Amino acid sequence: MITHTARHSAVPTGLAGTGTPFIGAPRVLARPAAAIVIVGGGFAGATCARELRRQSDRLSITLVEPNRRFTACPSSNEVIAGLRGMEAQEFGYDGLKRDGISIVQQDAVAVDPRARLVRLRDGSALHYTRLVLAPGIDLRLGAIPGYGAAAVDLMPHAWKAGPQTMLLRRQLDAMDDGGLVVISVPANPFRCPPAPYERASLIAHFLKTRKPRSKLIVLDAKDAFPSQRQFQAAWQDLYPGLLEWVPLSSGGAVTDVDPAAKTIHTDRGRHRASVANIIPPQKAGAIARLAGVTDRTGWCPIDPISFESRLQPDIHVIGDAAIAGALPKSAFAANSQAKVCATAIASLVRGLPPADHQLFNTSYSLMAPDYGISIASVYRPSNGQFAEVVKLSGTSPLVAPRTLRANEARNAASWFRTVTSAVFG
Ligand SMILES: Cc1cc2nc3c(=O)[nH]c(=O)nc-3n(C[C@H](O)[C@H](O)[C@H](O)COP(=O)(O)OP(=O)(O)OC[C@H]3O[C@@H](n4cnc5c(N)ncnc54)[C@H](O)[C@@H]3O)c2cc1C
């Protein structure tokens, strides 16, 4: 907790006097009800911190996040297609600080569940009553032979928004008209299942308007994807002859890549790309494995009522890192999960059982700047996992007038503004 203990005596440089609950911090605050440490200040972690504060001012809440500013993935496909500036994706943590949440700008490098300690990069440690891990994803570099750490500079994944997003955009800008763009999409589960197809659509829009003699091939390790019929109808309508989707059964799975030669191999042949966007398989962020909360899949099994790990007591996992059944790995879902988890923690620290609940998810995708669709569903804990219970009527129809598609594109932008201002504003 916040009070002095003998386990660690250092206050990290630059953080003394901020009220941060480091072990050994000389300052002793009024005794809080519990110390909650949250690792990861993305959609899940930052939401959880604010929701905990909203529910109780007796909790000490500390958010551990190495970056001064968060870079959001939703809408980053528009940045790649030159439709939006990168600065529109970036958010700071001042709103959380104003709520009295301590921000520790460091990586968590280890967790000791028995001692209830989170160890930080500078050697100091934080004690927790309950720990929330929200580290998002790591890429499984090496899972596709040839696609290791050095390859990402030549064939960007752009699946964590930031420099990779801008690298892919620059490569598209520099490409000659008449070039070939290849996107490779992994098998499930991975972050944001519809996003590769939104990316394909928006890159196709970029090519159609800026480099119309070019071609885009999507190599997919699956035979089906979300809103497939809506996407394919839009591709037929907007990008005929420009965008080709190659499913698993037609040789879509990438077997290996040669980044220097910009070549992608499948079991049916090879593609020499001008620009290659390899979206590799993924797993929970590394700290989850170090905390002992991942299973053999590389993701984190949780109890869907409380988001408590099934492998370590008093550690909760939310967001993309968690195995949440039918609930997709999305920012919308991460935000919903975080609120449920915060509510559960607020009950548990009072000695009360967490309440049953249902969760919502809406995923928006753009096929062109003024052409959007959405899928909306309700999920409920069932047999130890989340099951989809209702598809909401908000899901976009297969056939619709362009005014409806334009309206959905506006809704997508408005959702992004609303969620980022609620989480970071
Ligand atoms: C191209 C693309 C488009 C997308 N579009 C949408 C969309 O339209 N709608 C939607 O709902 N979702 C979308 N998503 C998905 C969405 O971005 C993720 O589902 C969401 O970011 C998950 O939230 P999270 O908090 O789990 O992870 P993140 O948002 O990635 O946050 C994880 C945070 O943890 C921090 N962290 C990691 N390890 C540590 C550590 N050891 N110590 C401290 N901090 C750590 C990271 O720095 C990061 O800030 C999209 C994703 C992509 C790639």
Side-chain angles (χ1 to χ4, degrees), residues 285-297:
I287 191 67
R289 181 179 54 77
L290 297 170
V293 295
T294 53
D295 68 12
R296 279 183 310 170
T297 65

Side-chain angles (χ1 to χ4, degrees), residues 38-46 63-67 69-77 80 93 104 106-110 118 120-121 133-138 157-161 190-196 198-199 279 282 285-288 290 318-322 328-335 337 361-366 412 415-416 419 424:
I38 300 166
V39 173
F43 283 100
L63 179 69
V64 182
E65 164 62 53
N67 299 310
R69 291 178 73 71
F70 174 70
T71 308
C73 285
S75 302
S76 67
N77 286 330
I80 291 166
Y93 292 98
V104 174
Q106 286 199 56
D107 286 300
V109 294
V118 176
L120 305 178
R121 168 88 48 213
L133 295 180
I137 56 155
D138 269 354
H157 53 78
W159 219 241
K160 289 188 178 192
F190 65 96
R191 161 173 282 182
C192 204
E198 176 187 76
R199 177 172 292 177
I279 306 168
Q282 296 150 35
I287 191 67
L290 297 170
I318 52 175
D320 285 357
K329 296 186 187 303
S330 74
F332 197 116
N335 181 256
Q337 292 178 13
N361 181 67
T362 303
S363 294
Y364 293 98
S365 301
L366 295 186
W415 167 76
F416 183 82
V419 73
F424 300 100

Side-chain angles (χ1 to χ4, degrees), residues 16 30 61 64 78 97 133 138 272 306 308 333 350 378 386 399:
I61 304 167
V64 182
E78 291 164 72
K97 287 181 195 157
L133 295 180
D138 269 354
R272 182 93 208 278
S306 62
E308 188 164 359
R350 285 191 208 109
V378 182
F386 281 102
V399 178

Side-chain angles (χ1 to χ4, degrees), residues 238-259:
L238 302 172
Y239 313 117
L242 194 161
L243 192 168
E244 182 190 355
W245 175 65
V246 184
L248 173 68
S249 53
S250 304
V254 171
T255 52
D256 64 281
V257 297
D258 178 347

Side-chain angles (χ1 to χ4, degrees), residues 103-194:
I103 311 289
V104 174
Q105 202 193 321
Q106 286 199 56
D107 286 300
V109 294
V111 175
D112 180 343
R114 291 184 63 185
R116 293 169 179 265
L117 288 178
V118 176
R119 298 198 183 279
L120 305 178
R121 168 88 48 213
D122 72 352
S124 60
L126 294 166
H127 184 256
Y128 63 84
T129 315
R130 282 188 179 265
L131 172 64
V132 179
L133 295 180
I137 56 155
D138 269 354
L139 305 165
R140 287 186 187 269
L141 296 177
I144 298 174
Y147 199 70
V152 305
D153 293 334
L154 297 167
M155 294 177 155
H157 53 78
W159 219 241
K160 289 188 178 192
Q164 279 275 306
T165 313
M166 292 311 293
L167 177 61
L168 182 54
R169 174 170 167 168
R170 283 197 304 276
Q171 289 190 352
L172 288 166
D173 279 339
M175 184 185 109
D176 288 337
D177 188 7
L180 172 66
V181 179
V182 176
I183 301 178
S184 105
V185 186
N188 291 323
F190 65 96
R191 161 173 282 182
C192 204

